Amino acid sequence: MLNYNGNLIDSSELELTHENRAFKFGDGIFETIKVQNGKIVFFEDHYFRLMASMRMLRMKIPMKFTFEFLEEEIKKTVKETKGSVFRVRLNVYRKDGGLYRPKTNEIDYLIDVKEINILVKDTYKVDLYKDFYNYSGLLSTVKTTNRMLNTVASIFAEENDLDNCILLNERKGVAEATNGNIFVIKDAIIKTPALSEGCIKGITRKKVIDILEKHPDYTIEETSISPFEIQKADEVFITNAIVGIQPVTNYRKKEFNLDIVHKISKSLQVLTFTN
């Protein structure tokens, strides 16, 4: 079942027109949210990121778009799907009409729910994707419906027997992975690309940073990272809203340790079920 503007419909009933702006111009944003055992994980963070993104893109936020309203809309859609763990995609896009200049800034929304099995892989190989760049700037921090770079990088990964690719910005610094944020560990210093490097403003990224800022044994830095630092790292991991933390085991010929990653992952699991 889908939730289209508050109405539950079968997926076969959804009719989007040829004027749909998310289709024609990528004029939309989305949140990928995990629901586990009836709990919407870190929904407050997702909600405030969505509101900030809508304001940045000059979308008109409906008066009814309160935290409680969207929480209930997600829950009522999840109830129509069997299972215990779900990937929820909340899509928001401007209503039909116009060219680059839209006819209106009012929005439609669509909630899509799928049951999932979360798998953290024991072996996880990554490499750089260098054909195109993820340009730095505030717009790159927003989850827009234009994910062409992530798409072609994912195809590249499959063609080269990789699990993921690392995206670079126009300065050839590390930005993020195709499906999440990246963290690099060397000794007790843990680095992740700053938002100014062109990475998504990830929810799990934020939670991991919060955990590390309170940990006496580690120093967290939001900064620029060169690909050379990945080669020299002790450990590397990727974060996203569904898997949480995925340790990276191999980068080219380099094999990474997993000791600190596993400790951080356990702390995140505790935070997931206590918030």
Side-chain angles (χ1 to χ4, degrees):
M1 298 294 288
L2 301 175
N3 183 327
Y4 180 57
N5 289 334
N7 299 311
L8 293 178
I9 61 173
D10 188 84
S11 57
S12 62
E13 299 178 281
L14 179 65
E15 295 183 0
L16 300 179
T17 77
H18 69 284
E19 292 290 343
N20 180 273
R21 293 191 59 83
F23 167 70
K24 293 187 77 171
F25 302 109
D27 187 11
I29 55 179
F30 68 98
E31 289 288 328
T32 304
I33 304 165
K34 180 165 68 175
V35 177
Q36 189 164 357
N37 298 322
K39 178 183 178 182
I40 307 176
V41 178
F42 302 141
F43 183 58
E44 183 174 314
D45 296 274
H46 283 286
Y47 175 77
F48 285 115
R49 182 173 68 173
L50 177 67
M51 294 300 104
S53 298
M54 291 179 72
R55 291 189 189 97
M56 184 186 299
L57 300 181
R58 291 177 165 78
M59 293 178 173
K60 185 175 181 180
I61 301 175
M63 291 293 292
K64 67 180 181 181
F65 253 41
T66 63
F67 175 91
E68 293 77 13
F69 172 80
L70 287 177
E71 182 181 39
E72 182 57 34
E73 289 298 293
I74 290 171
K75 286 182 176 180
K76 82 177 187 183
T77 313
V78 167
K79 286 179 182 178
E80 299 298 319
T81 308
K82 294 181 180 179
S84 59
V85 185
F86 306 94
R87 178 199 300 270
V88 175
R89 176 163 166 148
L90 170 57
N91 305 272
V92 175
Y93 47 91
R94 251 178 284 262
K95 288 182 177 291
D96 291 2
L99 298 174
Y100 287 139
R101 180 192 292 177
K103 284 187 176 179
T104 178
N105 286 319
E106 294 182 347
I107 59 95
D108 289 319
Y109 70 92
L110 178 68
I111 301 173
D112 179 9
V113 176
K114 289 184 174 63
E115 183 189 12
I116 56 171
N117 292 314
I118 298 173
L119 176 63
V120 177
K121 295 185 177 181
D122 294 330
T123 301
Y124 201 84
K125 299 183 293 183
V126 304
D127 205 341
L128 303 179
Y129 181 70
K130 299 184 287 187
D131 289 357
F132 305 104
Y133 297 122
N134 201 38
Y135 286 92
S136 59
L138 279 179
L139 192 58
S140 292
T141 69
V142 179
K143 295 192 74 169
T144 71
T145 52
N146 181 356
R147 314 310 296 169
M148 184 55 67
L149 175 58
N150 306 68
T151 299
V152 293
S154 297
I155 294 170
F156 174 87
E158 183 179 37
E159 291 173 344
N160 290 276
D161 195 28
L162 301 167
D163 294 289
N164 210 331
C165 280
I166 298 169
L167 307 180
L168 304 176
N169 61 30
E170 73 278 12
R171 300 185 297 273
K172 299 184 180 179
V174 173
E176 59 187 4
T178 61
N179 67 341
N181 297 104
I182 187 167
F183 288 75
V184 177
I185 304 174
K186 181 64 177 177
D187 299 323
I189 299 176
I190 303 175
K191 295 182 178 181
T192 192
L195 296 179
S196 57
E197 296 296 301
C199 66
I200 286 289
K201 192 176 182 180
I203 300 303
T204 308
R205 172 188 183 274
K206 177 179 180 293
K207 294 301 181 182
V208 168
I209 290 172
D210 290 344
I211 290 169
L212 295 173
E213 285 179 337
K214 298 173 184 176
H215 203 293
D217 296 334
Y218 308 122
T219 300
I220 177 69
E221 296 181 3
E222 297 180 67
T223 184
S224 59
I225 300 174
S226 73
F228 182 73
E229 291 183 75
I230 297 175
Q231 187 71 43
K232 294 296 183 180
D234 299 323
E235 303 183 39
V236 175
F237 63 94
I238 294 166
T239 63
N240 65 42
I242 301 302
V243 174
I245 291 177
Q246 171 61 62
V248 174
T249 59
N250 301 85
Y251 171 73
R252 298 179 175 176
K253 294 182 179 180
K254 178 68 181 283
E255 293 187 8
F256 297 111
N257 299 323
L258 303 174
D259 298 337
I260 297 176
V261 177
H262 286 327
K263 292 177 182 178
I264 299 170
S265 184
K266 288 179 181 178
S267 297
L268 180 65
Q269 289 175 9
V270 172
L271 185 63
T272 299
F273 292 106
T274 55
N275 272 20

